[in-house]
Amino acid sequence: DTAVSQTPKYLVTQMGNDKSIKCEQNLGHDTMYWYKQDSKKFLKIMFSYNNKELIINETVPNRFSPKSPDKAHLNLHINSLELGDSAVYFCASSQEFPAGGRVTQYFGPGTRLLVL
Amino acid sequence: AQSVTQPDIHITVSEGASLELRCNYSYGATPYLFWYVQSPGQGLQLLLKYFSGDTLVQGIKGFEAEFKRSQSSFNLRKPSVHWSDAAEYFCAVGDRVGNQFYFGTGTSLTVIP
């Protein structure tokens, strides 16, 4: 069984479009995250949710909006896509809120977004 | 500000040879330290982690890492590399105060027969 799954795996779209990426975890974890990995492989956290509550909201454009309908899901909606949004987006989860960064995260396979 | 440096962007080793991947961090105290591996087209998988105690930690797939406080380093090692170890390796730091994570830029490992 897949622990952390993301859909779609690949997403190719035009500038200006709105798109969503879905993430689901079946590990029973309380905390979920979104990361962006750029073309240089640099991985940076975007958001963190704990029990459906937004905990970490890094400096990302407000075109990006996470939504957590329940503890097992954390979706990422992106409005008005721009060329610079092209990247790989990873969802992750951890059993508990990262009190002091002391958690192990489980990552999904990534969604490769290409904006044309 | 906290940061994680992986000085080697790309390393090539022969199968069966030993491996050491370097990781240095900048942090005011001892952070929580992690190594993750990313196989092509896959997500990140945890290899090992250090929170406290013994500074030499063992991980999966025969990897180990040693925390050296004096050098602010957490280098990853494997005595004999297998072709299946070819992947991207990320060092990460967990912030004890700010509940944040910081990843290095990764080291790409190529294994030649």
Side-chain angles (χ1 to χ4, degrees), chain A residues 16-99:
Chain A
N17 283 351
D18 302 337
K19 290 294 177 185
S20 291
I21 307 172
K22 296 186 176 181
C23 177
E24 176 181 3
Q25 53 94 3
N26 62 8
L27 297 166
H29 288 170
D30 287 339
T31 307
M32 296 183 73
Y33 313 79
W34 276 109
Y35 284 86
K36 179 181 180 180
Q37 186 179 47
D38 63 22
S39 58
K40 291 189 170 69
K41 300 279 187 171
F42 182 62
L43 197 66
K44 185 170 169 54
I45 192 167
M46 300 173 69
F47 302 103
S48 170
Y49 266 75
N50 180 249
N51 278 319
K52 296 170 53 182
E53 181 184 346
L54 180 64
I55 301 299
I56 294 173
N57 183 2
E58 287 300 296
T59 307
V60 299
N62 56 15
R63 298 181 294 104
F64 290 79
S65 55
K67 286 188 173 48
S68 181
D70 55 60
K71 272 189 355 178
H73 296 85
L74 181 62
N75 303 326
L76 183 65
H77 189 75
I78 315 171
N79 288 327
S80 303
L81 277 156
E82 300 178 357
L83 294 177
D85 297 332
S86 296
V88 182
Y89 292 85
F90 287 101
C91 178
S93 73
S94 63
Q95 190 164 15
E96 57 213 11
F97 176 60

